Amino acid sequence: MPDPARTIPDFLLQHLVDREAERQNAPAEFYATLTDRERALVRDAAVMGYVQGTLHPRGEKHPKDSWVTALVVQECLAFPDLYPAINATQPA
């Protein structure tokens, strides 16, 4: 029986390894191009989006982007200490 690792040519394996490294580095490279405020907004939205996604009932359809956006902003405003970038736009 042939070794499964040897069924793919070395040049193709190297290409796959290189592409995976690029995918792993892409978020950090993108993040580095953002301003401090943009980084904070991306962080706040990503964390809240993840939280809302994990709370979404299995098997139910996902709502439209506008509804999700409104929900995420509402929740970020409800927790100003956790999401300071979103709340920095609000009067004190």
Side-chain angles (χ1 to χ4, degrees):
M1 186 161 138
D3 179 4
R6 301 307 309 161
T7 59
I8 300 174
D10 288 341
F11 75 92
L12 184 53
L13 284 174
Q14 187 58 52
H15 173 73
L16 294 173
V17 168
D18 293 345
R19 285 294 296 131
E20 180 60 23
E22 289 173 10
R23 278 191 290 278
Q24 292 292 324
N25 293 331
E29 290 172 3
F30 168 75
Y31 207 63
T33 67
L34 301 177
T35 65
D36 288 345
R37 174 134 175 87
E38 290 168 334
R39 279 192 289 277
L41 288 170
V42 167
R43 182 207 162 276
D44 284 1
V47 170
M48 183 52 71
Y50 180 81
V51 167
Q52 291 299 322
T54 60
L55 296 175
H56 189 77
R58 290 192 184 273
E60 287 191 25
K61 290 185 177 183
H62 284 274
K64 295 195 178 277
D65 290 352
S66 57
W67 186 87
V68 171
T69 301
L71 177 62
V72 166
V73 170
Q74 176 186 357
E75 295 300 322
C76 286
L77 292 174
F79 298 97
D81 55 323
L82 298 176
Y83 304 101
I86 298 290
N87 284 278
T89 64
Q90 301 303 304

Coordinates of all heavy atoms in Angstrom, one line a residue:
M1 N 0.8 -1.2 0.0 CA 0.0 0.0 0.0 C 0.9 1.2 0.0 O 1.8 1.4 0.8 CB -0.9 0.0 1.2 CG -1.9 1.1 1.3 SD -3.2 0.6 2.4 CE -3.4 2.1 3.2
P2 N 0.6 2.2 -0.9 CA 1.5 3.4 -1.0 C 1.3 4.3 0.2 O 0.2 4.3 0.8 CB 1.1 4.1 -2.3 CG -0.3 3.5 -2.6 CD -0.4 2.2 -1.9
D3 N 2.3 5.0 0.6 CA 2.3 6.0 1.7 C 1.4 7.2 1.2 O 1.7 7.8 0.2 CB 3.7 6.5 2.0 CG 3.7 7.5 3.1 OD1 2.7 7.8 3.7 OD2 4.8 8.0 3.3
P4 N 0.3 7.5 1.9 CA -0.6 8.6 1.5 C 0.0 9.9 1.4 O -0.3 10.7 0.5 CB -1.7 8.6 2.6 CG -1.6 7.3 3.3 CD -0.2 6.8 3.1
A5 N 1.1 10.2 2.2 CA 1.7 11.5 2.1 C 2.6 11.6 0.8 O 2.9 12.7 0.4 CB 2.7 11.6 3.3
R6 N 2.9 10.5 0.2 CA 3.7 10.5 -1.0 C 2.8 10.5 -2.3 O 3.4 10.6 -3.4 CB 4.6 9.3 -1.1 CG 5.6 9.2 0.1 CD 6.4 10.4 0.4 NE 7.2 10.9 -0.7 CZ 7.7 12.1 -0.7 NH1 7.5 12.9 0.3 NH2 8.3 12.6 -1.7
T7 N 1.5 10.5 -2.1 CA 0.7 10.5 -3.3 C 0.5 11.9 -3.9 O 0.1 12.1 -5.0 CB -0.7 9.9 -3.0 OG1 -1.3 10.7 -2.0 CG2 -0.6 8.5 -2.6
I8 N 0.9 12.9 -3.1 CA 0.9 14.3 -3.6 C 2.3 14.8 -3.9 O 3.2 14.6 -3.0 CB 0.2 15.3 -2.6 CG1 -1.2 14.8 -2.3 CG2 0.2 16.7 -3.0 CD1 -1.9 15.6 -1.2
P9 N 2.6 15.3 -5.1 CA 3.9 15.8 -5.4 C 4.4 16.8 -4.4 O 3.7 17.6 -3.8 CB 3.8 16.4 -6.8 CG 2.5 15.9 -7.3 CD 1.6 15.6 -6.1
D10 N 5.8 16.8 -4.2 CA 6.4 17.7 -3.2 C 6.1 19.1 -3.5 O 5.9 19.9 -2.6 CB 7.9 17.4 -3.1 CG 8.2 16.1 -2.5 OD1 7.4 15.6 -1.7 OD2 9.4 15.6 -2.7
F11 N 6.1 19.5 -4.8 CA 5.9 20.9 -5.1 C 4.5 21.4 -4.7 O 4.3 22.5 -4.3 CB 6.2 21.2 -6.6 CG 5.1 20.7 -7.5 CD1 4.1 21.6 -7.9 CD2 5.1 19.4 -8.0 CE1 3.1 21.1 -8.7 CE2 4.1 19.0 -8.9 CZ 3.1 19.8 -9.2
L12 N 3.5 20.4 -4.9 CA 2.2 20.8 -4.5 C 2.0 20.8 -3.0 O 1.3 21.7 -2.4 CB 1.2 19.7 -5.1 CG -0.3 20.0 -4.9 CD1 -0.7 21.4 -5.4 CD2 -1.1 19.0 -5.6
L13 N 2.6 19.9 -2.3 CA 2.6 20.0 -0.8 C 3.2 21.3 -0.3 O 2.7 21.9 0.6 CB 3.4 18.8 -0.2 CG 2.7 17.4 -0.3 CD1 3.6 16.3 0.2 CD2 1.4 17.5 0.6
Q14 N 4.3 21.7 -0.9 CA 4.9 23.0 -0.5 C 4.0 24.1 -0.8 O 3.9 25.1 0.0 CB 6.3 23.2 -1.2 CG 7.1 24.4 -0.7 CD 7.3 24.3 0.8 OE1 7.9 23.3 1.3 NE2 7.0 25.3 1.6
H15 N 3.4 24.1 -1.9 CA 2.4 25.2 -2.3 C 1.3 25.2 -1.2 O 0.9 26.3 -0.8 CB 1.8 24.9 -3.6 CG 0.7 25.9 -4.0 ND1 0.9 27.2 -4.3 CD2 -0.6 25.7 -4.0 CE1 -0.2 27.8 -4.5 NE2 -1.2 26.9 -4.4
L16 N 0.8 24.1 -0.8 CA -0.3 24.1 0.2 C 0.2 24.6 1.6 O -0.5 25.3 2.2 CB -0.8 22.6 0.4 CG -1.5 22.1 -0.9 CD1 -1.9 20.6 -0.6 CD2 -2.8 22.9 -1.2
V17 N 1.4 24.2 1.9 CA 2.0 24.8 3.2 C 2.2 26.3 3.1 O 1.8 27.0 4.0 CB 3.4 24.1 3.4 CG1 4.1 24.8 4.5 CG2 3.1 22.6 3.8
D18 N 2.7 26.8 1.9 CA 2.9 28.2 1.8 C 1.5 29.0 1.8 O 1.4 30.0 2.5 CB 3.6 28.5 0.5 CG 5.0 28.0 0.4 OD1 5.6 27.7 1.5 OD2 5.6 27.9 -0.7
R19 N 0.5 28.4 1.2 CA -0.8 29.1 1.2 C -1.4 29.1 2.6 O -2.0 30.1 3.0 CB -1.7 28.4 0.2 CG -1.5 28.7 -1.3 CD -1.7 30.1 -1.6 NE -3.1 30.4 -1.5 CZ -3.6 31.5 -0.8 NH1 -2.7 32.4 -0.3 NH2 -4.9 31.7 -0.7
E20 N -1.2 28.0 3.3 CA -1.7 28.0 4.7 C -1.0 29.1 5.5 O -1.7 29.7 6.3 CB -1.6 26.6 5.3 CG -2.1 26.5 6.7 CD -3.6 26.8 6.8 OE1 -4.3 26.7 5.9 OE2 -4.0 27.2 8.0
A21 N 0.3 29.2 5.3 CA 1.0 30.2 6.1 C 0.5 31.6 5.7 O 0.3 32.5 6.6 CB 2.5 30.1 5.8
E22 N 0.2 31.9 4.4 CA -0.3 33.1 4.0 C -1.7 33.4 4.6 O -2.0 34.5 5.1 CB -0.5 33.2 2.5 CG 0.9 33.3 1.8 CD 0.7 33.1 0.2 OE1 -0.4 33.2 -0.3 OE2 1.8 33.0 -0.4
R23 N -2.5 32.4 4.7 CA -3.9 32.5 5.3 C -3.7 32.8 6.8 O -4.5 33.6 7.3 CB -4.7 31.3 5.1 CG -5.4 31.2 3.7 CD -6.4 30.1 3.7 NE -5.8 28.8 3.7 CZ -5.3 28.1 2.6 NH1 -5.3 28.7 1.4 NH2 -4.7 27.0 2.7
Q24 N -2.8 32.2 7.4 CA -2.6 32.4 8.9 C -2.1 33.8 9.1 O -2.5 34.4 10.2 CB -1.6 31.4 9.4 CG -2.1 30.0 9.4 CD -3.2 29.8 10.4 OE1 -3.3 30.4 11.5 NE2 -4.2 29.0 10.0
N25 N -1.3 34.4 8.2 CA -0.7 35.7 8.4 C -1.6 36.9 8.0 O -1.5 38.0 8.4 CB 0.6 35.8 7.7 CG 1.7 34.9 8.4 OD1 1.6 34.6 9.6 ND2 2.6 34.5 7.6
A26 N -2.6 36.6 7.1 CA -3.4 37.6 6.5 C -4.2 38.5 7.5 O -4.2 39.7 7.4 CB -4.3 37.0 5.5
P27 N -4.8 37.9 8.5 CA -5.5 38.7 9.5 C -4.6 39.7 10.2 O -5.0 40.9 10.3 CB -6.1 37.7 10.5 CG -6.2 36.5 9.7 CD -5.0 36.5 8.8
A28 N -3.4 39.3 10.6 CA -2.5 40.2 11.3 C -2.0 41.3 10.4 O -1.9 42.5 10.8 CB -1.4 39.4 11.9
E29 N -1.7 40.9 9.1 CA -1.3 41.9 8.2 C -2.4 43.0 7.9 O -2.1 44.2 7.8 CB -0.8 41.3 6.9 CG 0.4 40.5 7.0 CD 0.8 39.6 5.8 OE1 0.0 39.7 4.8 OE2 1.8 38.9 5.9
F30 N -3.6 42.5 7.7 CA -4.7 43.4 7.5 C -4.9 44.3 8.7 O -5.1 45.5 8.6 CB -6.0 42.6 7.2 CG -7.3 43.5 7.3 CD1 -7.6 44.3 6.3 CD2 -8.1 43.4 8.4 CE1 -8.7 45.1 6.4 CE2 -9.2 44.2 8.5 CZ -9.6 45.1 7.5
Y31 N -5.0 43.7 9.9 CA -5.2 44.4 11.2 C -4.1 45.6 11.3 O -4.4 46.6 11.8 CB -5.1 43.4 12.3 CG -5.9 43.8 13.5 CD1 -7.3 44.0 13.5 CD2 -5.3 44.0 14.7 CE1 -8.0 44.3 14.6 CE2 -6.0 44.3 15.9 CZ -7.4 44.5 15.8 OH -8.1 44.8 16.9
A32 N -2.9 45.3 10.9 CA -1.8 46.3 11.1 C -2.1 47.5 10.2 O -1.5 48.6 10.5 CB -0.5 45.6 10.7
T33 N -2.9 47.4 9.1 CA -3.1 48.5 8.3 C -4.2 49.5 8.8 O -4.4 50.6 8.3 CB -3.5 48.1 6.8 OG1 -4.8 47.5 6.9 CG2 -2.5 47.1 6.2
L34 N -4.9 49.1 9.8 CA -6.0 49.8 10.4 C -5.5 50.9 11.4 O -4.5 50.7 12.0 CB -7.0 48.9 11.0 CG -7.6 47.8 10.2 CD1 -8.6 46.9 11.0 CD2 -8.4 48.4 9.0
T35 N -6.3 51.9 11.5 CA -6.1 52.9 12.6 C -6.5 52.3 13.9 O -7.2 51.3 14.0 CB -6.9 54.2 12.3 OG1 -8.3 53.9 12.5 CG2 -6.6 54.8 11.0
D36 N -6.1 52.9 15.0 CA -6.5 52.4 16.3 C -8.0 52.3 16.4 O -8.5 51.4 17.0 CB -5.9 53.3 17.4 CG -4.4 53.2 17.6 OD1 -3.9 52.2 17.1 OD2 -3.8 54.0 18.3
R37 N -8.7 53.3 16.0 CA -10.2 53.3 16.1 C -10.8 52.2 15.2 O -11.7 51.5 15.6 CB -10.7 54.7 15.6 CG -12.2 54.7 15.5 CD -12.8 55.9 16.2 NE -14.2 56.0 16.0 CZ -15.1 55.4 16.8 NH1 -14.7 54.8 17.9 NH2 -16.4 55.5 16.6
E38 N -10.2 52.0 14.0 CA -10.7 51.0 13.1 C -10.5 49.6 13.8 O -11.4 48.7 13.7 CB -10.1 51.0 11.8 CG -10.5 52.2 10.9 CD -9.7 52.4 9.7 OE1 -8.5 52.0 9.7 OE2 -10.2 53.0 8.7
R39 N -9.3 49.4 14.4 CA -9.0 48.1 15.0 C -10.0 47.9 16.2 O -10.5 46.8 16.4 CB -7.6 48.1 15.6 CG -6.6 47.8 14.5 CD -5.2 47.5 15.1 NE -4.6 48.6 15.7 CZ -3.8 49.5 15.0 NH1 -3.7 49.3 13.7 NH2 -3.3 50.5 15.5
A40 N -10.3 49.0 17.0 CA -11.2 48.8 18.1 C -12.6 48.5 17.6 O -13.3 47.7 18.2 CB -11.2 50.1 18.9
L41 N -13.1 49.1 16.5 CA -14.4 48.9 16.0 C -14.5 47.4 15.4 O -15.5 46.7 15.7 CB -14.8 49.9 14.9 CG -15.1 51.3 15.4 CD1 -15.2 52.2 14.2 CD2 -16.3 51.3 16.2
V42 N -13.5 47.0 14.7 CA -13.5 45.6 14.2 C -13.5 44.6 15.4 O -14.3 43.7 15.3 CB -12.2 45.4 13.3 CG1 -12.0 43.9 13.0 CG2 -12.4 46.2 12.0
R43 N -12.7 44.9 16.4 CA -12.7 44.0 17.5 C -14.1 44.0 18.2 O -14.6 42.9 18.5 CB -11.7 44.5 18.6 CG -11.6 43.5 19.8 CD -11.1 44.3 21.0 NE -11.4 43.6 22.2 CZ -12.6 43.6 22.9 NH1 -13.6 44.4 22.4 NH2 -12.8 42.9 23.9
D44 N -14.7 45.1 18.5 CA -16.0 45.2 19.1 C -17.0 44.4 18.3 O -17.8 43.6 18.8 CB -16.5 46.6 19.3 CG -15.8 47.3 20.5 OD1 -14.9 46.7 21.1 OD2 -16.1 48.5 20.7
A45 N -17.1 44.7 17.0 CA -18.1 44.1 16.1 C -17.8 42.5 16.0 O -18.8 41.8 16.0 CB -18.0 44.7 14.8
A46 N -16.5 42.2 15.9 CA -16.2 40.7 15.8 C -16.6 40.0 17.0 O -17.2 38.9 17.0 CB -14.8 40.5 15.5
V47 N -16.3 40.5 18.2 CA -16.6 39.8 19.5 C -18.1 39.7 19.6 O -18.6 38.7 19.9 CB -15.9 40.5 20.7 CG1 -16.5 40.0 22.0 CG2 -14.4 40.4 20.6
M48 N -18.8 40.8 19.4 CA -20.3 40.8 19.6 C -20.9 39.9 18.5 O -21.9 39.2 18.8 CB -20.8 42.2 19.5 CG -22.3 42.3 19.8 SD -22.9 41.4 21.3 CE -22.3 42.5 22.5
G49 N -20.4 39.9 17.3 CA -20.9 39.1 16.3 C -20.8 37.6 16.6 O -21.7 36.8 16.4
Y50 N -19.6 37.3 17.2 CA -19.4 35.9 17.6 C -20.3 35.5 18.7 O -20.9 34.4 18.7 CB -17.9 35.8 18.1 CG -17.6 34.4 18.5 CD1 -17.3 33.4 17.6 CD2 -17.6 34.0 19.9 CE1 -17.0 32.1 18.0 CE2 -17.3 32.7 20.3 CZ -17.0 31.8 19.3 OH -16.8 30.5 19.8
V51 N -20.5 36.4 19.7 CA -21.4 36.1 20.8 C -22.8 35.9 20.3 O -23.4 34.9 20.7 CB -21.3 37.3 21.9 CG1 -22.4 37.2 22.9 CG2 -20.0 37.3 22.6
Q52 N -23.3 36.8 19.5 CA -24.6 36.7 19.0 C -24.8 35.4 18.1 O -25.8 34.7 18.2 CB -25.0 37.9 18.1 CG -25.2 39.1 19.0 CD -26.3 39.0 20.0 OE1 -27.3 38.4 19.8 NE2 -26.1 39.6 21.2
G53 N -23.7 35.0 17.4 CA -23.8 33.8 16.6 C -23.9 32.6 17.4 O -24.6 31.6 17.1
T54 N -23.2 32.6 18.6 CA -23.2 31.4 19.4 C -24.5 31.3 20.1 O -24.9 30.2 20.6 CB -22.1 31.4 20.5 OG1 -22.2 32.5 21.3 CG2 -20.7 31.3 19.8
L55 N -25.3 32.4 20.3 CA -26.6 32.4 20.9 C -27.7 32.1 19.9 O -28.8 31.8 20.4 CB -26.9 33.8 21.6 CG -25.9 34.2 22.7 CD1 -26.2 35.6 23.1 CD2 -26.0 33.2 23.9
H56 N -27.4 32.0 18.6 CA -28.4 31.8 17.6 C -28.9 30.4 17.7 O -28.1 29.4 17.7 CB -27.9 32.1 16.2 CG -29.0 32.1 15.2 ND1 -29.8 33.1 15.0 CD2 -29.3 31.2 14.3 CE1 -30.7 32.9 14.1 NE2 -30.4 31.7 13.6
P57 N -30.3 30.2 17.8 CA -30.8 28.8 17.9 C -30.5 28.0 16.7 O -30.6 28.4 15.5 CB -32.3 29.1 18.0 CG -32.5 30.5 18.4 CD -31.3 31.2 17.8
R58 N -30.0 26.8 16.9 CA -29.7 25.8 15.8 C -31.0 25.6 15.0 O -32.1 25.4 15.6 CB -29.2 24.6 16.3 CG -27.8 24.7 16.9 CD -27.2 23.3 17.2 NE -25.9 23.4 17.8 CZ -24.8 23.5 17.1 NH1 -24.7 23.6 15.9 NH2 -23.6 23.6 17.8
G59 N -30.8 25.5 13.7 CA -31.9 25.1 12.8 C -32.8 26.3 12.4 O -33.6 26.1 11.5
E60 N -32.6 27.4 13.0 CA -33.4 28.6 12.6 C -32.6 29.4 11.5 O -31.4 29.4 11.5 CB -33.7 29.5 13.8 CG -34.7 29.0 14.7 CD -35.2 30.0 15.7 OE1 -35.1 31.2 15.5 OE2 -35.6 29.6 16.8
K61 N -33.4 30.0 10.6 CA -32.8 30.8 9.6 C -32.1 32.0 10.2 O -32.5 32.6 11.3 CB -33.8 31.3 8.6 CG -34.4 30.2 7.7 CD -35.3 30.8 6.7 CE -35.8 29.7 5.8 NZ -36.7 30.2 4.7
H62 N -31.0 32.5 9.6 CA -30.3 33.7 10.1 C -31.0 34.9 9.6 O -31.4 34.9 8.4 CB -28.8 33.7 9.6 CG -28.0 32.7 10.4 ND1 -27.4 33.0 11.6 CD2 -27.7 31.4 10.2 CE1 -26.8 32.0 12.1 NE2 -26.9 31.0 11.2
P63 N -31.1 35.9 10.4 CA -31.8 37.2 10.0 C -31.0 38.0 9.0 O -29.8 37.7 8.8 CB -32.0 37.9 11.3 CG -30.9 37.4 12.2 CD -30.7 36.0 11.8
K64 N -31.6 39.0 8.4 CA -30.9 39.8 7.4 C -29.8 40.6 8.1 O -29.8 40.9 9.3 CB -31.9 40.8 6.8 CG -32.9 40.1 5.9 CD -33.6 41.0 5.1 CE -34.6 40.3 4.2 NZ -34.0 39.8 3.0
D65 N -28.8 41.1 7.3 CA -27.7 41.8 7.9 C -28.1 43.1 8.6 O -27.5 43.4 9.7 CB -26.7 42.2 6.7 CG -26.0 41.1 6.1 OD1 -26.1 39.9 6.6 OD2 -25.3 41.3 5.1
S66 N -29.1 43.8 8.1 CA -29.5 45.0 8.8 C -30.0 44.7 10.2 O -29.7 45.5 11.2 CB -30.6 45.7 8.0 OG -31.7 44.9 7.8
W67 N -30.7 43.6 10.4 CA -31.2 43.3 11.7 C -30.1 42.9 12.6 O -30.0 43.3 13.8 CB -32.2 42.1 11.6 CG -32.9 41.8 12.9 CD1 -34.0 42.3 13.4 CD2 -32.5 40.8 13.8 NE1 -34.3 41.8 14.6 CE2 -33.4 40.8 14.9 CE3 -31.4 39.9 13.9 CZ2 -33.2 40.0 16.0 CZ3 -31.3 39.1 15.0 CH2 -32.2 39.1 16.1
V68 N -29.1 42.1 12.1 CA -28.0 41.7 12.9 C -27.1 42.9 13.3 O -26.7 43.0 14.4 CB -27.1 40.7 12.1 CG1 -25.8 40.4 12.8 CG2 -27.9 39.4 11.9
T69 N -26.9 43.8 12.3 CA -26.2 45.0 12.6 C -26.8 45.8 13.8 O -26.2 46.3 14.7 CB -26.0 45.9 11.4 OG1 -25.4 45.1 10.4 CG2 -25.2 47.2 11.7
A70 N -28.1 46.0 13.7 CA -28.9 46.8 14.7 C -28.8 46.1 16.1 O -28.5 46.7 17.1 CB -30.3 46.9 14.3
L71 N -28.9 44.8 16.1 CA -28.8 44.0 17.3 C -27.4 44.1 17.9 O -27.3 44.4 19.1 CB -29.1 42.5 17.1 CG -29.0 41.6 18.3 CD1 -29.9 42.0 19.4 CD2 -29.2 40.2 17.9
V72 N -26.4 44.0 17.1 CA -25.0 44.1 17.6 C -24.7 45.5 18.2 O -24.2 45.6 19.3 CB -24.0 43.7 16.5 CG1 -22.6 44.1 16.9 CG2 -24.1 42.2 16.2
V73 N -25.1 46.5 17.5 CA -24.9 47.9 18.0 C -25.7 48.1 19.3 O -25.2 48.6 20.3 CB -25.3 48.9 16.9 CG1 -25.3 50.3 17.5 CG2 -24.4 48.9 15.7
Q74 N -26.9 47.6 19.3 CA -27.7 47.7 20.5 C -27.0 47.0 21.7 O -26.9 47.6 22.8 CB -29.1 47.1 20.3 CG -30.0 47.0 21.5 CD -31.3 46.3 21.3 OE1 -31.5 45.8 20.2 NE2 -32.1 46.1 22.3
E75 N -26.5 45.8 21.5 CA -25.9 45.1 22.6 C -24.5 45.8 23.0 O -24.2 45.8 24.1 CB -25.7 43.6 22.2 CG -26.9 42.9 22.0 CD -27.8 42.8 23.2 OE1 -27.3 42.7 24.3 OE2 -29.0 42.9 23.1
C76 N -23.8 46.3 22.0 CA -22.6 47.0 22.3 C -22.8 48.2 23.2 O -22.1 48.5 24.1 CB -21.8 47.4 21.0 SG -21.0 46.0 20.2
L77 N -23.9 49.0 22.8 CA -24.3 50.1 23.6 C -24.7 49.8 25.0 O -24.5 50.5 25.9 CB -25.4 50.9 22.9 CG -24.9 51.6 21.6 CD1 -26.1 52.2 20.9 CD2 -23.8 52.6 21.8
A78 N -25.2 48.6 25.2 CA -25.7 48.1 26.5 C -24.6 47.8 27.4 O -24.7 47.8 28.6 CB -26.6 46.9 26.3
F79 N -23.4 47.5 26.8 CA -22.2 47.2 27.6 C -21.0 48.1 27.3 O -20.0 47.6 26.7 CB -21.8 45.7 27.4 CG -22.9 44.7 27.8 CD1 -23.8 44.2 26.8 CD2 -23.1 44.3 29.1 CE1 -24.8 43.4 27.2 CE2 -24.1 43.5 29.5 CZ -25.0 43.0 28.5
P80 N -21.1 49.3 27.7 CA -20.1 50.3 27.3 C -18.7 49.9 27.8 O -17.7 50.3 27.1 CB -20.5 51.6 27.9 CG -21.5 51.2 29.0 CD -22.1 49.9 28.5
D81 N -18.5 49.3 28.9 CA -17.2 48.9 29.4 C -16.6 47.8 28.5 O -15.4 47.7 28.4 CB -17.3 48.5 30.8 CG -18.3 47.3 31.1 OD1 -19.3 47.3 30.4 OD2 -18.0 46.5 31.9
L82 N -17.4 47.0 27.9 CA -16.9 45.9 27.1 C -16.6 46.3 25.6 O -15.8 45.7 25.0 CB -17.9 44.7 27.1 CG -18.1 44.0 28.4 CD1 -19.2 42.9 28.3 CD2 -16.8 43.5 29.0
Y83 N -17.3 47.3 25.2 CA -17.2 47.7 23.8 C -17.0 49.2 23.7 O -17.9 50.0 23.2 CB -18.5 47.3 23.0 CG -18.8 45.8 23.2 CD1 -19.7 45.4 24.1 CD2 -18.0 44.9 22.4 CE1 -19.9 44.0 24.2 CE2 -18.2 43.6 22.6 CZ -19.1 43.1 23.5 OH -19.3 41.8 23.7
P84 N -15.8 49.7 24.1 CA -15.6 51.1 24.2 C -15.5 51.8 22.9 O -15.8 53.0 22.8 CB -14.2 51.2 25.0 CG -13.6 49.9 24.7 CD -14.7 48.9 24.6
A85 N -15.1 51.2 21.8 CA -15.0 51.9 20.5 C -16.4 52.3 20.0 O -16.6 53.4 19.5 CB -14.3 51.0 19.5
I86 N -17.4 51.4 20.1 CA -18.7 51.8 19.7 C -19.3 52.9 20.6 O -19.9 53.8 20.1 CB -19.7 50.5 19.8 CG1 -19.2 49.4 18.8 CG2 -21.1 50.9 19.5 CD1 -19.3 49.7 17.4
N87 N -19.0 52.8 21.9 CA -19.6 53.7 22.8 C -18.8 55.0 22.8 O -19.4 56.0 23.4 CB -19.6 53.1 24.2 CG -20.7 52.1 24.4 OD1 -21.8 52.5 24.6 ND2 -20.4 50.8 24.2
A88 N -17.7 55.1 22.3 CA -17.0 56.4 22.2 C -17.7 57.4 21.3 O -17.4 58.6 21.4 CB -15.5 56.2 21.6
T89 N -18.6 57.0 20.5 CA -19.3 57.9 19.6 C -20.5 58.5 20.3 O -21.2 59.4 19.8 CB -19.9 57.1 18.4 OG1 -20.8 56.1 18.8 CG2 -18.7 56.5 17.6
Q90 N -20.9 58.0 21.5 CA -22.0 58.5 22.3 C -21.7 59.6 23.2 O -20.6 59.6 23.9 CB -22.7 57.3 23.0 CG -23.1 56.1 22.2 CD -24.0 56.6 21.1 OE1 -25.1 57.1 21.4 NE2 -23.7 56.3 19.9
P91 N -22.6 60.6 23.4 CA -22.3 61.6 24.4 C -22.3 61.0 25.8 O -23.0 60.1 26.1 CB -23.5 62.6 24.2 CG -24.5 61.9 23.4 CD -23.8 60.7 22.7
A92 N -21.4 61.6 26.6 CA -21.3 61.1 28.0 C -22.5 61.3 28.9 O -23.3 62.1 28.7 CB -20.1 61.7 28.7

